[in-house]
Amino acid sequence: MYLQSWAKTLVSLKTPTVLLLDPDRKFHAFGYEAEEKYSDLLTDEEADGWALFRRFKMALYHTEVRELIWKLVIITLIKVTFCSLQ
């Protein structure tokens, strides 16, 4: 369900499945915040290297994608733990 306000922005009861990664491929934003930031980057012609992913939620139900995500989570946790120990 979407409603259009006088400010010409879309308002929804659900947060969109949108993920924004910075040029170093680190998490930057999720949902409306990610869409807005990426839109600003495009407007300012500064979007090179940034990565925006949309509508990926259903892909998480596939075994291969789920396994890949778990591997990425484990690698990230290992890196974070290792860096905090130094």
Side-chain angles (χ1 to χ4, degrees):
M1 176 176 150
Y2 288 97
L3 304 171
Q4 187 157 358
S5 69
W6 289 105
K8 297 184 181 179
T9 58
L10 292 177
V11 178
S12 173
L13 299 176
K14 293 179 167 182
T15 301
T17 308
V18 180
L19 177 68
L20 180 63
L21 304 179
D22 68 14
D24 295 327
R25 295 299 185 249
K26 294 182 181 175
F27 173 81
H28 183 80
F30 183 81
Y32 290 116
E33 184 181 337
E35 288 180 333
E36 186 173 337
K37 175 64 177 178
Y38 194 68
S39 177
D40 292 343
L41 290 167
L42 289 173
T43 302
D44 297 338
E45 297 181 4
E46 298 176 354
D48 289 345
W50 290 76
L52 184 77
F53 298 93
R54 286 189 177 152
R55 301 185 180 126
F56 58 87
K57 183 171 65 174
M58 294 308 291
L60 299 176
Y61 288 100
H62 297 289
T63 305
E64 307 85 34
V65 175
R66 203 168 44 239
E67 289 174 2
L68 175 62
I69 290 170
W70 276 115
K71 287 177 186 176
L72 293 173
V73 167
I74 290 168
I75 290 169
T76 303
L77 289 173
I78 290 170
K79 285 182 180 180
V80 169
T81 304
F82 180 74
C83 289
S84 65
L85 292 175
Q86 292 183 340

